[in-house]
Amino acid sequence: MLFRSAEALAEALAESEALAEALAETLAEAEALAEAEALAETLAEAKPKTVHVEIPAGTSAPGCEPNSCYSPAKITINAGDTVHWMNVDSAAHTVTAGTSADVKIEVFDSSLLMADGTWSHEFNDAGIYDYFCMVHPWMIGTVTVN
């Protein structure tokens, strides 16, 4: 590109500098937006959640073991999260901490959940929590809390 005068050259240079400044501002705004989005995502992940576990139809008879008596049978959550169990079976069930050989009612126990019943428990301490149904001991699940 040939410039006819020093004035034209100065104008072109000024326009280039203005474009470079505008580009730098746009990049700074994009970086700030990306940081804000990342922060919002981090905060959303840190917020306590509720995880749903279903007690499926037909689990009152053996055959759902080892991994489909509670659906999902194994979950991983963060401390402060809540697990919400829903009994969609026609039979009554429990959600009781421990195993049939080592019941830990003091940790948590739903008592009998009738058909369409629900029960929730907030997990505040990290650890691995096995649970089962006291009425149907082949029904087992695990909650891992980070």
Side-chain angles (χ1 to χ4, degrees), residues 8-139:
L9 180 58
E11 259 182 51
L13 185 56
E15 284 180 26
S16 291
E17 289 173 352
L19 285 172
E21 278 184 37
L23 180 58
E25 286 178 16
T26 301
L27 287 173
E29 289 172 3
E31 287 174 358
L33 180 59
E35 286 177 16
E37 288 173 348
L39 178 60
E41 188 176 311
T42 300
L43 290 174
E45 289 174 5
K47 186 173 142 183
K49 296 180 181 102
T50 298
V51 176
H52 298 279
V53 175
E54 195 172 90
I55 300 171
T59 53
S60 60
C64 59
E65 59 282 84
N67 291 318
S68 61
C69 298
Y70 293 99
S71 182
K74 295 179 180 182
I75 60 172
T76 300
I77 62 173
N78 293 318
D81 289 350
T82 297
V83 179
H84 179 93
W85 285 268
M86 301 166 286
N87 182 8
V88 298
D89 194 14
S90 58
H93 295 280
T94 74
V95 177
T96 306
T99 65
S100 59
D102 185 22
V103 180
K104 297 182 179 183
I105 280 180
E106 69 282 357
V107 177
F108 63 84
D109 179 49
S110 65
S111 70
L112 280 177
L113 286 177
M114 305 312 280
D116 297 322
T118 65
W119 183 74
S120 297
H121 181 75
E122 183 178 316
F123 290 83
N124 292 310
D125 298 319
I128 297 173
Y129 297 86
D130 292 321
Y131 65 93
F132 73 109
C133 174
M134 289 183 75
V135 182
H136 310 101
W138 57 85
M139 296 176 60

